[in-house]
Amino acid sequence: MMTNVAAQVLATVNAPYGANLSAHQLAAMIADPKSASDFVAPVFSFFSEVSLSAQKQFIADMGVDAAKASQVAVELSKLSGYALPLAA
């Protein structure tokens, strides 16, 4: 069963890009450094358009390594020149 936070996150990251990622696919991508170097749009959307509290809840709910996700956010922030909350 998908949590309310996961449903909210997926609506935010999938709709603008015509993506159809599952919660598990997104969870894997937000902790994968390749997502930053490849500048994967839904991953950037997760870190830039989803509230910090929802990001943290999604990371916890999905069992994502928070340090790895934070590092992806740091790399995306550097590449984009855009301050991302989880990168702080």
Side-chain angles (χ1 to χ4, degrees):
M1 178 180 221
M2 189 177 341
T3 67
N4 189 30
V5 170
Q8 174 188 357
V9 166
L10 291 175
T12 301
V13 304
N14 279 329
Y17 304 102
N20 192 23
L21 295 174
S22 71
H24 292 287
Q25 288 171 316
L26 180 62
M29 294 171 86
I30 63 173
D32 183 353
K34 192 166 174 18
S35 295
S37 62
D38 289 352
F39 214 84
V40 176
V43 173
F44 183 72
S45 177
F46 174 81
F47 290 118
S48 63
E49 298 174 28
V50 173
S51 71
L52 182 58
S53 61
Q55 287 178 36
K56 289 180 176 181
Q57 186 64 53
F58 181 83
I59 288 167
D61 289 352
M62 297 303 296
V64 173
D65 182 319
K68 287 182 180 179
S70 180
Q71 188 57 46
V72 171
V74 166
E75 290 304 313
L76 279 170
S77 184
K78 288 178 189 175
L79 290 168
S80 68
Y82 188 81
L84 300 172
L86 199 63

